[in-house]
Amino acid sequence: MTVAIAPDSASKTESQPLMRIGIPKEIAQGERRVAATPDTAQKLQKLGFEVWIESDAGVAASFPDAAYQAAGCHVVHDVVELWNQADIVLKVRAPLWHPGSNQDETDLLRPGGKLVSFIWPAQNPELLEKLSHKGATAIAMDAVPRITRAQKLDALSSMANLAGYRAVIEAANQFGRGFTGQITAAGKIPPCKVLVIGAGVAGLAAIGTARGLGAIVRAFDTRPSVKEQVQSLGAEFLELHFADEGGESSGGYAKVMSPAFIAAEMALFAQQAVDVDVIITTALIPGKAAPRLVTQEMVEAMKPGSVVVDMAAEQGGNCELTRPHEIYDHNGVKIVGLTDLVSRMANQASQLYGTNLYHLLNELGGAENHHLDLENDVVRQATVVLEGEVIWPAPPLEKTATPQPTSQTAVPTPTVQADKPPSLLMQLLWPVLIGSALFGIGAFAPESFISHFTVFVLAIFLGWKVIWDVTPALHTPLMSVTNAISGIIIIGGMLQISGPLTSTVTILGAIAIFVSTLNISGGFFVTQRMLNMFHK
């Protein structure tokens, strides 16, 4: 099903673009991000959109109005006009009560308009009803499926990556001493020990940042599939072995575990709380309140000066003592319940989020071919309200049934026979043929040929053993090196070009030099590029 969302043609002249995008200023407390930067606004214009932005919308993210004007945007001072004239409104936060206009932002949206922002439909059913009464179409950036094809639209991952980084920076600021260990003339300083609970995008970013600062990092997650990712970042993965207890839901998120598993993980956290200096929690389950993982007893068991950073504070918090929007001291332990971690990196966060929105609108066909294709699994799951109808959660795509044969005649099914082991005669045939060939070469070939042939056979055997005994993951860098080394054949080509230029041997030698030169250059070039992947 394809739904076209066309602008009101009567309200626009032919000289105006097909569709207009409105970027209002965020009004949520502490929110510094903006839904479009001057750079992403230019990209939106290339898709055929006209971009209107509210005055001072990007100032908190270090994007002044002059930068938007230079990028070709129309700066609007009247927020009511912005909402009423926009075909598509791009926001960061879900609509709230607007104090300047003394009405809800959903009321500012024109009838039949379109809203793209974080909406959190599971937590905001009232918002969906408001949008439905307006006859609006709403796309929730938090509902974009986490599949490979939708990675460029995945605003949750973009923001979580920055939040994980910022959580470590805030922890280091509150901790009061360095993360890395040192040995000085005045004595030894032990490294900071960090426990990261939850190894999703935010958790992995926190692990990498803490390791980069020199801390000893441990991580826990209910999903065993993230173990290798944690270890690849240099952290220790804490495991609980439970049979038939997979911690990953169909969407790649963590799921609610059994009571026995929860009891075991709580015991693990209590044991770790005594030893670590910093705990960073990232655990969230879509559509549910944040699970309580750090109890008051765990906090009180931590050493004075320790820090707890609760990245789930906005959804209730993983720590029992978390106070959203606050940093406070509980018996010498700092508990960070900030809900604006991403906004504290507003410039970079706005750029990433704006890029996610650009890719979404590009997925929808830009301005000229703008439409909602509900057969597109990404668009289908992200659309929560369609022309006034609440369609969240998205129904599954109908799969085309495999046509069944109408005839009652039985269709013969081919039988697959197991491979029969080769007979003894066939097993002996190849060794006999190879031995006979080698005997014939040794008996009749000239002595000079025998010496070269022996080197050739040994080279084949050694090369095969080298490749065969190497882990398949290393085949690409290994082959690039062997290609470079095998280019030594260039020496043989140089020895053959000493004759007349018109002779066949000289021509073949020159070709060998040319091909070998390419082989040598390409081999070392590929090797260098792969080595650069491991450089910081």
Side-chain angles (χ1 to χ4, degrees), residues 19 22 93 123 126 164 442 463 475 500:
M19 300 192 76
R93 296 273 186 165
Q123 290 92 339
E126 298 85 0
H475 278 179

Side-chain angles (χ1 to χ4, degrees), residues 32-34 36-37 39-40 58 60-63 158-159 161-163 165-166 341-356:
R32 301 176 181 87
R33 289 172 292 177
V34 62
T37 67
D39 178 61
T40 62
S62 302
F63 297 117
S158 299
M159 300 300 100
N161 185 44
L162 294 178
Y165 172 86
R166 186 70 190 196
L341 292 173
V342 181
S343 284
R344 292 174 178 242
M345 305 179 66
N347 187 281
Q348 189 174 6
S350 300
Q351 181 65 36
L352 293 178
Y353 182 64
T355 303
N356 293 140

